[in-house]
Amino acid sequence: MNLSAWRAALRIARRDALRAKGRSALIIAMIALPVVGVTAADVVARSSVLTPQESATRLMGGADAYLSTVRAGWRLEQAPDPDPATTLVLSQNGPKPVPTEEETARSARPLGQLLKEALPAGARLLPVESPAGYALTSTTAGQARVQAWSLDLADPLARGITTLREGSWPDAPYEVAATTGFLAGSGLSVGGSTTLAGTHQALRITAAVEYPGDLKAERLVGRPGELGALLAAAEDRTGQTPADGPADFLVSLPGGAAFGWEDVQRANAYGFTVASRAAVLADPPPDNAVPLYRDTPLSGAAATEALKSSTIAVTVVGMALLEVVLLAGPAFAVGARRSRRQLALVAAGGGDRSHIRGVVLGGAVVLAGTGALAGTVLGCLTVALGRPWLEARSGARFGHFALEPADLLGVLAIGVVTGLLAAIVPAVQAGRQPVTAALTGRAATRPPAIWIPVAGVLVAGAGTCLALFGALEGSRTRVVMLGSVIAELGLVACTPWFVGLLGRVARALPLGPRLALRDAARNRGRSAPAVAAVMAAVAGAVAVLTFQSSSDAADRADYAAAAPNGAVVLRTQQVSPASVTAVAPGSSAASVAAAASGKAAADLRRTVEQAIPGLGERGDLRNLTYGACDGRPGSFCGTVRLDMPAENLCPPAAGAAGPGGSVRLDEAQARRLLAEDPRCRQSAPAPQDVRELITGDANVLRNLLGVDDPAAQQALAAGKVVVLDPRYVKDGAVPLQLTRYGAEGPGGNQLSTASLPAVAVRAKTPAARAVLSPAAAEAAGLTPTTYESVWLPAHAPGAADEQRATAAVTAHGPGAKLSVERGYASTYGDATMLGLAIAASAVAIAAAGIATGLAAADSRGDLATLAAVGAGPGIRRRLSGFQCAAVAALGAVLGALAGFVPAAAVQRVENLGAVPRVDAAGISLGTHPLVVPWPYLAALVAGLPLLAWLVAAGLTRSRVALTRRTG
């Protein structure tokens, strides 16, 4: 076609679009909806990426640099953007882990003197106290955890680190700012006060602030030196070790000078890391100028993570584009079929096939361009209006509202191109239609050639293999996307054959579904594109749901519960004999300390039971050790641990260094051992603070370990050890390794062994390796130490109950800790999966509705004939419902199959870089399998056709207008 012909085709397309406003709006909507999603995703992604200046402002406010003390006086090497995980202290973990004389001398100097020598002249410092860990502070319900930081937020250097939401900056002694996350959970507000546990100084909250990069932070920010001094003086630090003064500083240089890379390296020589605003974050030095990159070559981990991210991103984009094409296909099929008489007139007037194809493609340009433009604008508006919700959901503020012209023009162009691609098949079909048949309104359909579905199956299989095996190819990130697209296109090629197959099975069905399936089989030209559109929508949802389910299952499998879900655990601190000041005649400091510890534990148990009613039966337990270690004559210190017999170990674990060591395995060897040797299979993951050997009773077995076995309870009462891993048991006994510190023997310690009768059971939560009764522990010469109690109520206590009990426990004194096991909390959530299912259903029903509407228009004559021969008025409603349900059902089944391919391939990409290892617990592959979300798939595959039937039948009028049939 020449240029003038294209102008005529575009003019015809524009006039046709204006005449058929409803059909045009439908096509524009089908193009615009995916473009809205792509545009919104691009704007969100761009807005979430911070510029160097935005990153610097969130870290250091208005300062020129942020300085952290790593090892004062010792040389170190850092990356331009310092990270504690990669910082190299040369004399600690470098090639020569011995401090030099100069480092020894520097480390003895005061921190202020080192800072003066390390920084440029005239540098101004603003201290930042950000200790690790949490403290307890009072709330409206009791007490809750909080981070206690110190920083002068009113200082201009700190502006930008936080955002003031309410109130005013703290400017008087013991005034603090509280983050909005803490205020929401504690019930406090601006103007109220809170008191850190172990202190008596009320802290007045004058400001509600938020950290733009961490909206969920639970933090109190006081003036420099105040909160740190309070915590240092408090007896209860609740796991937090206050720093000896500030270790971090905001640095400002005089005269607007920049903190250059040379200045950073000078600070490194004194043991400080520096994040510089101008010379490092905004303009980082080349890699060859960074000593860290020279001395510690980067491993393949970063490259592997980058490969994973790029592969997933490319796959998502490719599948999204294909979905746009397949979704728009039915819309253009509608337009081509409704305009077939007009196209036939073009052919009758001398136009050839290229002119007819040009008219259809011209309509695609007009409608796709309008839809893409509308979708781009709506996508930007959607993000702008939903920005607060998106930021709250992600837990971080956007750096800025980013509208990248190149990206938006690209999305606009993609929308037009995908519209053209979607119109190619309808254009070719329109060019091939017989003119006479089109003018008389009779559709000429031919059965698809048998080679097409055969080729489609082969192409789908080839695409599946390409995606799955390409996921293991480390240098080709586009292979997964290409294979997934090819596999889905192969199924698209098979859809006409599957639609024809529906007509063959229709003979055994009642009148309504029989007419619907046969009509769909006769009119494959409109049914197949609709099935492909439903398949595309369902495939995208299935891929995302399956990948999220697999990731969620992996996180759930790695989660180690400290107790059964809802259990309340109380830990109390044992009184040390050294703290006893008064001893009665005939007694000892150790006995006085033991009595005081028992009384304190009993008081705390009563306190918890009063604070949280309905806790149920209590189980009391104590950790066991070897040796009293209480300072009495003949007392000694030691440990006891279970010793797994060598013949029960997984064979490669025998080469592990020490009890906690591991050995790297080849993947084939690891899988073979897992399949053949039960000794190599890991049990449920144990928590990091797993108890080695404890005393307890039947309540401890049930409340702490989830064991409700009468045989285990009887064995425990009979003096046997209840062991949670059967590999520790040999010939009905468990071997114990006893270590006596400071005695004669290897390394100054004395090693011995003991054996106790044992029985093995499986625990739901392996919070301890073994349990025995107090009497059996005393008979074995083992010494109980800490006091703990555990309850397992019928329902988990609420947050207010936990805060109230925590406050009551803290009021008794230092050392006690109360916790509630909440179980695994998914980061994905049912809401996300349900939202995807709803979105897929909406798009699928829209595509099926298009086919149903076209079928209703084409079937007017058939419906008129049925009405003339006495068919009831409800036949039209039932026929429309079954037509829509048939398209939705076939598309849902094919979409479920197509969605597994990218999900499985991306999951294999996620497993890249995993290294199998073996230790005493067994073999860990480091990989996670593909998990199929069957309930959600069942809802899509089975529920979608039913929903489509209800929608189509409910929106179709029962009355049939009698019309004259042509011919």
Side-chain angles (χ1 to χ4, degrees):
M1 289 178 58
N2 54 30
L3 184 60
S4 60
W6 274 112
R7 284 200 299 266
L10 290 173
R11 187 166 58 251
I12 293 173
R14 181 179 59 83
R15 292 175 178 175
D16 183 62
L18 292 176
R19 281 197 301 269
K21 294 182 176 62
R23 171 165 50 86
S24 300
L26 177 64
I27 297 175
I28 289 173
M30 294 295 286
I31 295 291
L33 285 176
V35 173
V36 168
V38 175
T39 302
D42 177 79
V43 174
V44 170
R46 291 288 188 177
S47 301
S48 301
V49 177
L50 304 180
T51 65
Q53 290 300 328
E54 289 169 345
S55 298
T57 298
R58 290 189 178 184
L59 174 65
M60 63 190 73
D64 297 312
Y66 188 99
L67 180 143
S68 298
T69 306
V70 177
R71 190 69 184 264
W74 290 34
R75 298 168 301 132
L76 57 82
E77 293 177 355
Q78 68 164 76
D81 187 4
D83 183 357
T86 59
T87 299
L88 176 65
V89 181
L90 297 176
S91 295
Q92 177 175 311
N93 48 13
K96 296 180 179 180
V98 177
T100 64
E101 294 182 2
E102 184 181 11
E103 289 175 335
T104 304
R106 284 179 174 176
S107 61
R109 301 176 192 171
L111 182 63
Q113 182 179 349
L114 290 178
L115 289 169
K116 187 175 182 180
E117 296 177 8
L119 297 176
R124 179 192 168 214
L125 301 178
L126 181 66
V128 180
E129 297 179 38
S130 54
Y134 288 82
L136 288 175
T137 193
S138 61
T139 65
T140 56
Q143 287 190 338
R145 298 195 317 161
V146 70
Q147 292 176 309
W149 288 16
S150 295
L151 173 64
D152 187 1
L153 296 177
D155 193 291
L157 293 185
R159 297 297 170 84
I161 296 178
T162 60
T163 303
L164 182 65
R165 289 300 180 190
E166 183 183 355
S168 58
W169 300 117
D171 59 359
Y174 301 111
E175 290 184 345
V176 297
T179 59
T180 53
F182 170 74
L183 293 177
S186 64
L188 299 173
S189 60
V190 174
S193 62
T194 183
T195 304
L196 293 172
T199 71
H200 302 286
Q201 176 62 56
L203 303 174
R204 182 170 175 269
I205 301 174
T206 64
V209 300
E210 66 180 23
Y211 284 78
D214 186 7
L215 299 181
K216 299 178 181 179
E218 297 179 344
R219 193 169 297 156
L220 295 176
V221 185
R223 302 198 313 161
E226 292 183 349
L227 301 188
L230 289 175
L231 289 172
E235 293 182 349
D236 180 15
R237 296 182 176 87
T238 62
Q240 172 175 295
T241 303
D244 296 329
D248 295 354
F249 299 88
L250 300 181
V251 183
S252 176
L253 300 183
F259 206 107
W261 181 240
E262 295 79 8
D263 299 323
V264 172
Q265 290 181 294
R266 177 176 176 82
N268 292 163
Y270 286 82
F272 306 109
T273 60
V274 179
S276 171
R277 176 188 297 273
V280 178
L281 296 179
D283 185 20
D287 289 352
N288 56 13
V290 181
L292 178 68
Y293 295 159
R294 180 188 65 245
D295 296 338
T296 57
L298 294 177
S299 64
T304 301
E305 290 301 320
L307 170 67
K308 293 179 183 180
S309 301
S310 60
T311 300
I312 294 173
V314 169
T315 302
V316 170
V317 171
M319 295 299 293
L321 293 180
L322 177 62
E323 186 169 338
V324 172
V325 172
L326 295 180
L327 287 175
F332 287 111
V334 170
R337 289 181 64 84
R338 297 297 295 271
S339 302
R340 58 187 175 184
R341 179 175 177 83
Q342 174 184 306
L343 297 175
L345 291 174
V346 173
D352 56 20
R353 291 185 175 183
S354 64
H355 292 103
I356 296 175
R357 290 194 296 266
V359 172
V360 177
L361 293 176
V365 172
V366 172
L367 297 177
T370 304
L373 180 61
T376 303
V377 175
L378 287 175
C380 297
L381 290 176
T382 299
V383 177
L385 296 177
R387 179 175 178 176
W389 182 86
L390 291 170
E391 292 175 336
R393 183 78 176 176
S394 64
R397 298 292 181 194
F398 290 168
H400 57 288
F401 188 71
L403 297 178
E404 295 292 333
D407 289 1
L408 298 181
L409 289 176
V411 172
L412 186 63
I414 288 173
V416 176
V417 171
T418 52
L420 283 172
L421 293 175
I424 287 178
V425 174
V428 172
Q429 291 176 343
R432 291 179 178 177
Q433 68 177 347
V435 176
T436 305
L439 290 174
T440 57
R442 296 183 181 274
T445 58
R446 296 181 298 173
I450 190 61
W451 65 268
I452 294 180
V454 174
V457 171
L458 295 177
V459 169
T464 301
C465 295
L466 183 63
L468 295 180
F469 291 104
L472 304 180
E473 182 67 35
S475 60
R476 302 172 63 186
T477 60
R478 295 177 178 83
V479 173
V480 174
M481 180 270 292
L482 184 61
S484 302
V485 170
I486 290 175
E488 190 164 337
L489 289 177
L491 290 178
V492 170
C494 297
T495 52
W497 184 82
F498 283 118
V499 172
L501 188 64
L502 292 178
R504 298 179 184 178
V505 302
R507 66 185 65 181
L509 299 178
L511 177 63
R514 183 167 69 248
L515 290 176
L517 294 183
R518 287 180 174 176
D519 180 73
R522 285 196 306 268
N523 299 277
R524 298 181 184 90
R526 58 171 161 80
S527 301
V531 170
V534 176
M535 181 186 71
V538 174
V542 168
V544 176
L545 287 173
T546 304
F547 179 72
Q548 285 195 346
S549 295
S550 301
S551 301
D552 186 64
D555 293 344
R556 187 183 299 274
D558 293 338
Y559 177 77
N565 191 24
V568 179
V569 180
L570 172 67
R571 299 187 180 187
T572 62
Q573 189 174 16
Q574 192 173 19
V575 178
S576 172
S579 63
V580 176
T581 57
V583 179
S587 183
S588 65
S591 60
V592 173
S597 298
K599 182 179 183 304
D603 292 343
L604 285 169
R605 291 163 185 159
R606 286 192 297 271
T607 298
V608 173
E609 291 172 342
Q610 292 172 0
I612 308 178
L615 286 176
E617 296 184 1
R618 185 186 76 236
D620 297 330
L621 60 134
R622 302 186 69 181
N623 283 285
L624 292 172
T625 187
Y626 180 51
C629 198
D630 55 10
R632 290 181 297 180
S635 174
F636 60 90
C637 301
T639 59
V640 57
R641 71 176 185 85
L642 276 65
D643 189 16
M644 185 176 293
E647 58 268 28
N648 290 348
L649 280 170
C650 184
S662 63
V663 176
R664 181 172 178 172
L665 295 179
D666 178 74
E667 183 175 359
Q669 179 189 11
R671 293 189 179 277
R672 179 181 58 80
L673 288 171
L674 285 173
E676 300 175 355
D677 196 335
R679 297 173 298 176
C680 298
R681 298 168 192 162
Q682 283 190 333
S683 55
Q688 291 183 349
D689 57 347
V690 59
R691 304 162 183 85
E692 188 72 16
L693 190 60
I694 62 174
T695 64
D697 54 10
N699 290 336
V700 172
L701 291 179
R702 181 180 60 255
N703 296 354
L704 180 67
L705 306 174
V707 176
D708 199 3
D709 185 358
Q713 297 173 5
Q714 293 175 3
L716 185 65
K720 293 184 178 181
V721 181
V722 177
V723 182
L724 284 309
D725 188 341
R727 293 177 300 173
Y728 283 106
V729 179
K730 177 184 178 183
D731 299 330
V734 57
L736 303 178
Q737 185 181 90
L738 308 175
T739 303
R740 178 173 176 173
Y741 295 135
E744 296 181 359
N749 299 329
Q750 181 181 3
L751 302 179
S752 59
T753 60
S755 183
L756 298 178
V759 61
V761 297
R762 289 289 185 181
K764 295 180 180 178
T765 54
R769 302 196 194 280
V771 186
L772 73 164
S773 65
E778 184 178 2
L782 301 177
T783 305
T785 55
T786 58
Y787 290 85
E788 296 185 54
S789 297
V790 57
W791 296 264
L792 187 60
H795 303 285
D801 292 332
E802 183 179 0
Q803 292 181 16
R804 182 172 60 252
T806 301
V809 167
T810 306
H812 275 262
K817 180 181 179 182
L818 182 78
S819 61
V820 178
E821 174 58 45
R822 302 292 182 184
Y824 171 73
S826 174
T827 57
Y828 301 96
D830 292 337
T832 302
M833 295 188 175
L834 182 61
L836 285 170
I838 293 175
S841 300
V843 175
I845 290 175
I850 294 172
T852 303
L854 182 56
D858 287 348
S859 303
R860 287 174 184 160
D862 296 333
L863 292 173
T865 301
L866 288 173
V869 298
I875 186 64
R876 177 186 176 95
R877 189 184 300 274
R878 293 195 298 272
L879 181 59
S880 297
F882 283 116
Q883 285 172 334
C884 194
V887 171
L890 183 55
V893 172
L894 295 178
L897 296 175
F900 286 138
V901 177
V906 171
Q907 184 66 21
R908 297 189 76 174
V909 172
E910 280 289 294
N911 289 331
L912 285 176
V915 178
R917 307 194 72 90
V918 60
D919 55 17
I923 292 178
S924 172
L925 292 175
T927 61
H928 299 287
L930 187 71
V931 177
V932 180
W934 294 113
Y936 294 98
L937 293 189
L940 281 175
V941 175
L944 186 58
L946 177 61
L947 184 61
W949 188 93
L950 293 175
V951 172
L955 297 180
T956 302
R957 293 180 299 176
S958 300
R959 184 177 178 181
V960 179
L962 295 180
T963 60
R964 182 178 66 85
R965 297 194 60 132
T966 303

